[in-house]
């Protein structure tokens, strides 16, 4: 599970991209509240895990991979913060 603090909102998402199960640890968080996979640039909403971009990198190979691999959402987990502790429901 990958914990992220995006503008004060705590999110917990699976630490493996649903495409090839590669780690999301070095993924970039975007201004619109998505995380982008560092490997193939798939993007997922932090709040819901919805795939908003699917395998866009590398340009030619990514398009071919996307054609044979249906978009998959990134699993998310409910979180709450109490007394400075973060709780994740798994």
């Amino acid at each position: 599970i990958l914990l992220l603090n995006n503008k004060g909102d705590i999110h917990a998402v699976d630490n493996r991209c649903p495409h090839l199960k590669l780690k999301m640890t070095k993924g970039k968080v975007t201004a619109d509240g998505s995380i982008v996979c560092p490997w193939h640039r798939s993007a997922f909403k932090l709040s819901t895990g919805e795939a908003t971009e699917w395998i866009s990198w590398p340009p030619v190979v990514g398009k071919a991979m996307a054609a044979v691999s249906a978009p998959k959402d990134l699993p998310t987990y409910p979180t709450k913060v109490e007394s400075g502790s973060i709780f994740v429901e798994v």
Side-chain angles (χ1 to χ4, degrees), residues 12-66:
V13 300
D14 200 8
N15 191 29
R16 303 267 180 198
C17 179
H19 171 229
L20 290 177
K21 306 297 182 201
L22 299 171
K23 287 187 178 185
M24 295 286 287
T25 309
K26 293 187 180 188
K28 302 290 183 200
V29 176
T30 64
D32 71 349
S34 295
I35 185 167
V36 179
C37 173
W39 305 100
H40 296 110
R41 297 188 187 163
S42 296
F44 308 92
K45 289 183 182 178
L46 288 174
S47 58
T48 63
E50 177 188 0
T52 57
E53 182 73 34
W54 188 245
I55 313 174
S56 62
W57 186 260
V60 174
V61 176
K63 286 182 183 181
M65 286 192 293

Side-chain angles (χ1 to χ4, degrees), residues 63-85:
K63 286 182 183 181
M65 286 192 293
V68 297
S69 177
K72 298 176 187 109
D73 293 340
L74 181 67
T76 60
Y77 305 93
T79 62
K80 68 179 178 178
V81 179
E82 287 183 1
S83 302
S85 294

